[in-house]
Amino acid sequence: MILKSITDSFASVIHGLNVQHLTDQVLQRSKRMILDTLGVGLLGTNTEVFHKTAQYSKIYSSDASSCVWGRPDLRLPPTYAAFVNGVAVHSMDFDDTWHPATHPSGPVLPVLLALSEVLPQNPKVSGLDLLLAFNVGIEVQGRLMRFSKEASDIPKRFHPPKVVGTLGSAAAAAKFLGLDQTKCREAMAIAVSYAGAPMANAATQTKPLHVGNAARHGLEAAFLALLGLQGNQKILDIEAGFGAFYSNYTPQALPALESYTLLLDHQDIATKRFPAHLGTHWVADAAASVRKYLLPTDKIKRIVLRIPDVKYVNRPFPVSEHEARHSFQFIACTMLLDGGISVQSFHKSQVDRPQIRELLDKVVLEYPPDNHPNFDTLYCEMSITLENGNTFTERCDTFYGHWRKPLNREDLEEKFRANSSTVLPSEAVEGIIKTVNRLEDLEDCSLLTTFLKGPSKKTSNCIQHVLSNHSLS
């Protein structure tokens, strides 16, 4: 078949990728992404923005419904289940980050789990089917991000998950639904008209909606394509199409399927150790190194952070948890004061502490010309000057959790346990870990939603039944 456009090449890849393209490394990396995304999503069901979006979504109903993670008594139409679960994933900015910069898993995984509950059960959708569709959604995002130099850096105009994430969601849904190549192309065209969200809403309660809407709108695009809705056949080829979101847009056709290699095979994911903007993780590790020199009696006179110029993470005096998650200054001062950063660090009572405010007043930012706003190359250098004149300087080039220094399996699972145990009983937590670890061998991927629903007598009985009838060890 002769492909007529770049858009056609995407449709061909979405339709044509198969399980043979999933190398062992891709399987292991994508399972880590899935486990981490489920954990931060479950934790996120405790947030105010989740509760508001869940309350809003209750006005919608349909014959087909999917579960809301951690809420056994709440079921929604699949598009709205994907929406609120996607919001939960990004509600604390605790989800994974890729290069070029985006949060790839949040727009995709909630869609596939919502669909897994409503698709016909004969034949059952397997764990390998889920892994393949998940990787199709991740791959589409990664390829689109490589069509512009602007996309390589930390974003300034549009929030990438609502741009590329919407198309990744549509691609994953199209794959999961078994759409033909023409309808895969239409799903991409429709998704572009759903895409886009401004960076101005970073550090607010609205930012998590970007991921939730990417999930919902991508799924809607796939459903509409399934029903025969049509769009521009060259939507990815032209500046007035997907190119409207990026300067220097230079799209290229994707490789032939016979020689296709998934980007996840070459570019791993960054996993966050605490819920804040990825750029702050370099600051935290540099501050932890400097702190080792300090005595309890030392008085700090001046704190200098040498970082990239990223305006929306330059917040000298944050007044909310969302602003604190997007503040180089707050992360530096919290690490210096407490020696660690956790979910609790962003509670209002912690953000407003007089000791934090006193330190924040001493922070100065400098922007070295060689420190570019790029998650693959940026660094943080911190210098602390004491009242006695002593100065200590440390630099972080790669934080623990970055793709060059990924979390080990034990730490990843411990993060998941800490997050998910806020809403799930221990048997469900361990059940999810074991299920994800052997996901490629699972005959029915909807088993995951049995664990995700949350505590209720009916669910607990169901979990016990599942554990007794499936070898999950």
Side-chain angles (χ1 to χ4, degrees), residues 261-302:
T261 303
L262 294 171
L263 291 174
L264 190 58
D265 226 352
H266 307 288
Q267 177 63 60
D268 202 357
I269 297 289
T271 307
K272 298 178 179 180
R273 305 194 318 275
F274 56 86
H277 184 273
L278 192 74
T280 66
H281 287 62
W282 280 269
V283 174
D285 279 17
S289 296
V290 170
R291 191 176 189 271
K292 296 174 183 176
Y293 299 111
L294 304 181
L295 299 173
T297 55
D298 285 335
K299 294 185 181 298
I300 295 174
K301 180 179 181 180
R302 178 181 167 93

Side-chain angles (χ1 to χ4, degrees), residues 7 14 48 60 66 99 105 182 226 402 472:
T7 308
I14 293 166
E48 185 179 355
Y60 298 95
S66 305
H99 177 69
S105 297
T182 298
L226 177 65
H402 190 271
L472 294 177

Side-chain angles (χ1 to χ4, degrees), residues 11-142:
S12 173
V13 165
I14 293 166
H15 180 260
L17 283 175
N18 58 57
V19 294
Q20 277 69 48
H21 290 98
L22 302 179
T23 64
D24 287 343
Q25 180 163 261
V26 166
L27 286 173
Q28 294 308 313
R29 287 177 173 175
S30 51
K31 287 192 295 183
R32 286 168 60 90
M33 294 162 71
I34 288 171
L35 185 68
D36 187 52
T37 303
L38 293 176
V40 298
L42 286 162
L43 177 67
T45 63
N46 296 300
T47 61
E48 185 179 355
V49 62
F50 168 82
H51 289 299
K52 288 178 177 177
T53 53
Q55 187 66 29
Y56 156 73
S57 298
K58 288 178 183 178
I59 68 175
Y60 298 95
S61 63
S62 70
D63 293 336
S65 66
S66 305
C67 79
V68 174
W69 302 350
R71 295 295 182 267
D73 300 322
L74 179 57
R75 297 187 65 82
L76 294 170
T79 50
Y80 282 90
F83 169 60
V84 297
N85 290 331
V87 167
V89 168
H90 196 55
S91 62
M92 293 186 178
D93 220 308
F94 211 177
D95 43 332
D96 56 22
T97 305
W98 211 12
H99 177 69
T102 194
H103 303 286
S105 297
V108 173
L109 186 60
V111 168
L112 300 178
L113 291 178
L115 281 176
S116 74
E117 294 190 80
V118 298
L119 290 178
Q121 291 299 296
N122 190 15
K124 294 182 183 298
V125 182
S126 71
L128 202 53
D129 293 328
L130 186 145
L131 283 163
L132 177 59
F134 178 80
N135 275 284
V136 166
I138 302 302
E139 179 71 8
V140 164
Q141 295 177 72

Side-chain angles (χ1 to χ4, degrees), residues 103-283:
H103 303 286
S105 297
V108 173
L109 186 60
V111 168
L112 300 178
L113 291 178
L115 281 176
S116 74
E117 294 190 80
V118 298
L119 290 178
Q121 291 299 296
N122 190 15
K124 294 182 183 298
V125 182
S126 71
L128 202 53
D129 293 328
L130 186 145
L131 283 163
L132 177 59
F134 178 80
N135 275 284
V136 166
I138 302 302
E139 179 71 8
V140 164
Q141 295 177 72
R143 293 291 177 177
L144 291 171
M145 295 291 285
R146 282 160 172 76
F147 289 170
S148 168
K149 291 182 180 178
E150 178 187 351
S152 295
D153 293 337
I154 297 172
K156 294 180 180 179
R157 297 188 300 145
F158 295 103
H159 194 209
K162 189 59 182 76
V163 181
V164 298
T166 307
L167 277 74
S169 165
K175 187 68 174 179
F176 217 46
L177 291 167
L179 301 193
D180 64 28
Q181 187 167 322
T182 298
K183 289 182 176 177
C184 287
R185 184 190 67 206
E186 302 300 355
M188 292 291 96
I190 298 165
V192 171
S193 281
Y194 276 118
M199 286 304 303
N201 270 325
T204 73
Q205 282 190 335
T206 296
K207 184 173 179 249
L209 270 63
H210 298 174
V211 171
N213 276 327
R216 172 167 71 106
H217 290 149
L219 180 50
E220 285 184 3
F223 279 152
L224 290 168
L226 177 65
L227 293 172
L229 194 71
Q230 298 176 342
N232 191 306
Q233 295 183 11
K234 294 189 176 182
I235 196 72
L236 303 181
D237 296 63
I238 55 178
E239 257 187 53
F242 189 75
F245 294 106
Y246 294 105
S247 59
N248 305 312
Y249 185 65
T250 53
Q252 297 178 335
L254 299 187
L257 285 166
E258 297 77 28
S259 57
Y260 203 94
T261 303
L262 294 171
L263 291 174
L264 190 58
D265 226 352
H266 307 288
Q267 177 63 60
D268 202 357
I269 297 289
T271 307
K272 298 178 179 180
R273 305 194 318 275
F274 56 86
H277 184 273
L278 192 74
T280 66
H281 287 62
W282 280 269
V283 174

